[in-house]
Amino acid sequence: MESLFSHAPQPSGEPEHGGEAPPSRVFRLLLPAPREIVYSAFVGDLHLWWPAAYTGFGEGTHAFIEDTVVGEEGPDGQLQVWGTVTEERPGELLEIAWTLAWSPDAPTRVRVQFGDADGGTVVVFTHEGWARGPEGAQQYAKYSEWPVILGRFAAFFGQPADAVETE
């Protein structure tokens, strides 16, 4: 499972291996649907929009968010846990202790906020909580393809994949 998110080219502005934690990664997208529908699709339809290339089991995998578990089930019933839901306010917020392809002892934090916007819903996706030093730099580099993944979510709502803005 080591290859998840790791095949991406190193993004510019890669943090140094010093003692500081890398900065948050923040993305924003505007979707033409009510907040409750966007939230429901993000949580309940993960298996329909999450790219198979970003799973451990590839084609035939079933990505899910169920109870407090975020993960995937492979075609043969194998299970991989990607993280744990730490806070949920349906229609407003989903926060995950993210451990996909990383040590469960060093989770990062994924926070997805859903807000009303003129003509739809604004989704603000933040990935933060990196370790300090070299481990944080490795985490930061590993999880660099969120725009591609979130682009698939935008496409699920008929928006161009490049509708994901980096803040």
Side-chain angles (χ1 to χ4, degrees), residues 52-94:
Y54 295 96
T55 66
F57 304 122
E59 290 298 325
T61 195
H62 181 84
F64 64 88
I65 300 174
E66 192 172 301
D67 298 322
T68 62
V69 177
V70 182
E72 68 176 294
E73 183 178 352
D76 297 326
Q78 320 92 306
L79 182 66
Q80 181 183 19
V81 174
W82 297 354
T84 305
V85 174
T86 57
E87 185 176 353
E88 182 177 18
R89 292 193 307 265
E92 296 178 26
L93 172 75
L94 182 69

Side-chain angles (χ1 to χ4, degrees), residues 45 58 66 82 85 104 107 116 130 132 151 160:
D45 295 330
E66 192 172 301
W82 297 354
V85 174
D116 293 324
W130 318 106
R132 295 183 178 276

